[in-house]
Amino acid sequence: MTSLPKTADFEAEKAERTFHMAAKGLWTAPCLGPIDGRLRTFTEKTLDHELIIDLGALEGLDTAGAMMLQRTMSACGGRTDESRFVNAAPEHMTLLVAMTDNLAPCPTEPPQRNAFILMLNRVGQGVENVYFSALHILNFIGVVISVLWRILREPKRLRLTSTFHHMEEAGLDAVPIVGLMSFLIGAVVAFMGAKVLQQFGAEIFTVDLIGVAVLREFGVLLTAILIAGRSGSAFTAQIGSMKVREEIDAMRALGLDPVEVLVAPRVIALLLMLPLLTFVAGMLGMVGGALVAWSSLNITPGMFMARTQEVIVLSNFWVGMIKAPFFAFIIAVIGCFQGTQVEGSAESVGQRTTLSVVQAIFVVIMLDAFFAMFFLEIDF
């Protein structure tokens, strides 16, 4: 009579869709190493098949061997009940049943990481995201400029109906809110300036402060910020919703260029309307400042206009008007770019809309700082 092996071993054979496996020898922890690789290969070959394990030839079994047998049974047949084990000794079956509830891996605690390292990691990821976002936006700016140049060479490509619609939506409809904001800003600047200048008996210089602050900086900057939140976000939401509904894919299937159809009219509309809104903002800001000067400082409108013509040079007005088209281009391009980055869900539309407003306001303020230094250097 042939003696059983003193180490763990098994034999397997297939009958239709059922595998029969005969476990032999000592299935204890010190003896399981040599067969672990073979057993895993056998498990991969028998996935989703029924498995019968014959334990009649086992010499010994411990918890490690029972766990390995239950793991094999679970992976192959998806069942771990004792009916799949045949010819098992009572003590062996007791071990197998005890191992049934321990097949799931134990939860492991997440590794503890240094807070400073985590902070550096987040900063690095943020810098990387900013870098690649800047590259993508610059690439999109190049595409938009190329399309605008094509429209300039072939004016028939310009979609007048869409352009006028966006001029009304982004420009004319924004006049009331822009005018009210500028009027109040001019009044606030005049009031605060008057409070300070009265201490030195220089109330008349309030006119200088209003003229320079409103015409040169506040008029165009606050108008651009307001339009970024109002129209830039609308551009993102509109184009993003079209992308969610796969309308942009349909345009491409029809041979239409989405940049020419959707982006160019919005960019052109904002390029035309933001300078006009800046002019309105500057004028109403001056009116608000003049009313406060009249009511608080007894500076009549006639004196206010005379002082304005005397000390406020025309360059202050042109500085604001020069900056307006650059701000308009950035707001429109970023709004449209973020709309094209929507990834097919309402949540993505909301995220991109928020991101477009934040990016547009940040770039507008950064450009304004650049223009301030530039005009200071050229003494304009």
Side-chain angles (χ1 to χ4, degrees):
M1 184 175 180
T2 305
S3 61
L4 294 173
K6 299 301 182 182
T7 59
D9 196 8
F10 70 93
E11 294 179 356
E13 60 180 10
K14 182 179 180 182
E16 295 183 357
R17 288 189 57 82
T18 302
F19 280 86
H20 293 270
M21 171 182 158
K24 303 178 180 180
L26 289 171
W27 281 64
T28 56
C31 305
L32 295 174
I35 68 162
D36 184 60
R38 287 176 53 207
L39 196 61
R40 291 181 182 274
T41 302
F42 169 72
T43 302
E44 292 174 359
K45 293 179 180 179
T46 57
L47 291 177
D48 299 326
H49 288 72
E50 292 188 3
L51 177 64
I52 302 295
I53 299 181
D54 186 351
L55 304 179
L58 277 184
E59 283 191 351
L61 182 69
D62 62 3
T63 54
M67 179 66 75
M68 187 173 288
L69 288 170
Q70 287 285 25
R71 183 190 69 189
T72 304
M73 179 65 75
S74 176
C76 294
R79 293 173 55 185
T80 57
D81 57 273
E82 55 271 20
S83 64
R84 298 305 179 97
F85 296 97
V86 297
N87 301 323
E91 62 273 17
H92 295 166
M93 185 58 68
T94 301
L95 275 178
L96 290 168
V97 172
M99 292 298 104
T100 303
D101 298 329
N102 296 282
L103 292 177
C106 298
T108 58
E109 294 185 2
Q112 298 295 326
R113 300 180 62 184
N114 186 281
F116 181 71
I117 299 298
L118 290 175
M119 183 194 70
L120 290 180
N121 183 48
R122 293 189 64 180
V123 170
Q125 289 179 346
V127 172
E128 182 183 15
N129 292 338
V130 169
Y131 172 73
F132 285 109
S133 295
L135 287 182
H136 293 154
I137 291 175
L138 287 174
N139 178 68
F140 190 75
I141 288 174
V143 173
V144 172
I145 291 175
S146 174
V147 170
L148 292 178
W149 176 249
R150 188 168 66 211
I151 292 174
L152 187 63
R153 287 184 298 143
E154 303 177 48
K156 63 181 181 180
R157 289 182 171 273
L158 177 62
R159 298 174 182 272
L160 287 175
T161 302
S162 179
T163 302
F164 281 115
H165 168 73
H166 292 299
M167 288 174 65
E168 178 183 3
E169 188 180 59
L172 293 179
D173 291 348
V175 168
I177 184 64
V178 169
L180 178 61
M181 178 200 67
S182 301
F183 178 86
L184 295 176
I185 290 297
V188 169
V189 170
F191 183 77
M192 298 303 296
K195 284 293 184 181
V196 175
L197 293 173
Q198 274 182 332
Q199 301 176 17
F200 305 98
E203 297 90 340
I204 192 64
F205 289 105
T206 304
V207 179
D208 305 44
L209 175 64
I210 296 169
V212 173
V214 172
L215 293 179
R216 193 180 185 97
E217 288 295 333
F218 288 161
V220 62
L221 181 61
L222 294 179
T223 300
I225 291 174
L226 184 62
I227 293 301
R230 183 185 181 276
S231 301
S233 61
F235 292 168
T236 303
Q238 290 164 359
I239 296 176
S241 298
M242 294 180 69
K243 189 169 183 183
V244 169
R245 296 192 298 264
E246 299 183 354
E247 295 178 30
I248 294 180
D249 294 333
M251 287 183 183
R252 292 194 178 98
L254 292 172
L256 300 175
D257 183 0
V259 176
E260 184 178 305
V261 175
L262 301 176
V263 178
R266 289 172 167 82
V267 172
I268 294 172
L270 214 55
L271 282 172
L272 295 174
M273 295 309 297
L274 191 59
L276 297 179
L277 290 173
T278 300
F279 176 80
V280 172
M283 295 302 102
L284 288 177
M286 295 291 291
V287 170
L291 289 177
V292 171
W294 187 15
S295 61
S296 301
L297 304 175
N298 295 321
I299 300 175
T300 64
M303 293 174 58
F304 188 93
M305 290 299 298
R307 179 69 180 178
T308 299
Q309 293 176 357
E310 179 183 346
V311 300
I312 304 302
V313 295
L314 198 58
S315 62
N316 292 309
F317 170 77
W318 285 115
V319 165
M321 297 302 294
I322 288 171
K323 291 189 286 188
F326 292 94
F327 293 171
F329 183 78
I330 286 298
I331 292 168
V333 166
I334 291 178
C336 295
F337 170 76
Q338 293 298 339
T340 62
Q341 300 302 300
V342 171
E343 296 179 347
S345 67
E347 182 182 5
S348 180
V349 174
Q351 291 173 346
R352 290 293 174 176
T353 300
T354 302
L355 192 57
S356 74
V357 175
V358 172
Q359 287 184 349
I361 292 176
F362 173 77
V363 176
V364 162
I365 294 175
M366 188 172 63
L367 274 178
D368 186 69
F370 167 78
F371 276 116
M373 292 185 291
F374 174 74
F375 289 128
L376 181 65
E377 287 295 324
I378 65 175
D379 195 23
F380 185 68

